[in-house]
Amino acid sequence: MDIYINDILEKLSDGDFEPKRYMIKSLKTINRNIHAVIVDLDDEKTEMLVALSILQDKSKFKLIKESK
């Protein structure tokens, strides 16, 4: 799965919780590994830094809307 800035991802839930949706705000390189800064669509003030490999794991995240 190719991931770009402004793509919207949905975190797949294991339980009875509603899935959360995140937008990729920016990409950063830390120790030669690419990480993404993601923002919760319900709370745009909270940012999380996640390894790109985690976002590409289809068992954890699903691509909802691609940026154009």
Side-chain angles (χ1 to χ4, degrees):
M1 164 172 43
D2 292 332
I3 295 177
Y4 301 100
I5 295 174
N6 294 329
D7 280 355
I8 296 178
L9 303 167
E10 184 174 79
K11 184 175 194 306
L12 301 177
S13 175
D14 294 333
D16 296 330
F17 302 107
E18 255 185 66
K20 288 204 159 241
R21 291 188 176 190
Y22 298 94
M23 183 177 71
I24 298 176
K25 187 174 180 182
S26 64
L27 298 174
K28 292 186 177 187
T29 303
I30 300 174
N31 292 332
R32 290 180 261 157
N33 295 317
I34 300 174
H35 292 71
V37 177
I38 60 175
V39 178
D40 188 342
L41 291 179
D42 296 329
D43 179 17
E44 294 185 10
K45 294 182 180 180
T46 304
E47 295 180 347
M48 293 190 299
L49 185 66
V50 181
L52 195 59
S53 60
I54 299 295
L55 296 180
Q56 292 177 327
D57 186 353
K58 291 182 181 180
S59 67
K60 296 185 184 199
F61 284 91
K62 178 172 68 168
L63 182 63
I64 299 295
K65 181 180 172 190
E66 294 183 31
S67 63
K68 297 194 179 193

